[in-house]
Amino acid sequence: MPKTNRKLARAVIERRDSTGETYTQAREGVLATLTLPETERQAHAFRAAVALRMAHAGEDADQAATAVEHIRELAECNGWPFADAQAAYDDPANQVMCTTCGWTNGMACPECPGCGCYNGQCTGWRHGEFMDDDERRARNECPDCGGDSTNHYECRCYDDEA
């Protein structure tokens, strides 16, 4: 048992934020695992998060375990609580649309039929927003001289030859 209620409350809040459990569930888990070493406590919290994920998303145990690992990484990278990271993970706009280019559903261009792999004549703003420097350079290249045709500084086609 922690020496103070404050330490217990901190441990419960930490577990709640890392697993998505309610405060009461997290408190019961912390109290049940107080005498265990830290690694076993973490494993217990992970199993609880997987069980909650299975109930929340209807996934099997392997899918839920993978999802909980990804959600924890997302939460740690962004400094978010587990619930916020889980909401971002489950958001349909953040689901990967194309495994080749890595675009998500939220990146889909409204002016073309698909993802970043599409190489037609789309002028959609999302393609420009998510292009890397090489793709942007190739798109803006002048067909005659090879310079940047958007600002005419590098394009020599318009130079006065007089």
Side-chain angles (χ1 to χ4, degrees):
M1 186 80 172
K3 294 184 178 181
T4 65
N5 284 338
R6 185 174 295 176
K7 286 183 181 179
L8 175 63
R10 279 192 216 127
V12 170
I13 289 169
E14 181 180 327
R15 178 171 170 144
R16 180 198 64 194
D17 290 346
S18 70
T19 63
E21 296 175 311
T22 64
Y23 185 87
T24 305
Q25 291 170 329
R27 188 172 194 281
E28 289 172 2
V30 167
L31 291 175
T33 60
L34 280 176
T35 58
L36 297 175
E38 181 64 26
T39 56
E40 290 183 36
R41 267 203 308 270
Q42 293 297 327
H44 185 273
F46 183 77
R47 286 191 303 271
V50 169
L52 285 171
R53 179 72 190 176
M54 290 169 59
H56 169 76
E59 299 171 342
D60 65 16
D62 292 336
Q63 290 174 327
T66 302
V68 167
E69 289 172 0
H70 289 299
I71 293 168
R72 278 189 171 178
E73 288 173 12
L74 185 63
E76 288 175 13
C77 290
N78 296 308
W80 295 343
F82 188 87
D84 292 347
Q86 181 167 271
Y89 181 83
D90 290 338
D91 186 1
N94 294 331
Q95 302 303 314
V96 175
M97 170 198 296
C98 176
T99 56
T100 304
C101 66
W103 274 35
T104 63
N105 292 333
M107 296 168 142
C109 184
E111 297 181 21
C112 74
C115 62
C117 296
Y118 177 69
N119 59 2
Q121 297 301 317
C122 176
T123 59
W125 58 269
R126 288 208 177 144
H127 280 275
E129 184 176 322
F130 293 108
M131 277 184 187
D132 62 22
D133 289 339
D134 292 335
E135 292 171 325
R136 192 171 286 110
R137 203 173 5 265
R139 181 191 67 181
N140 297 335
E141 187 175 88
C142 176
D144 297 326
C145 68
D148 187 354
S149 62
T150 58
N151 59 18
H152 302 292
Y153 289 123
E154 296 176 10
C155 180
R156 294 179 260 333
C157 297
Y158 297 104
D159 287 347
D160 295 329
E161 297 182 12

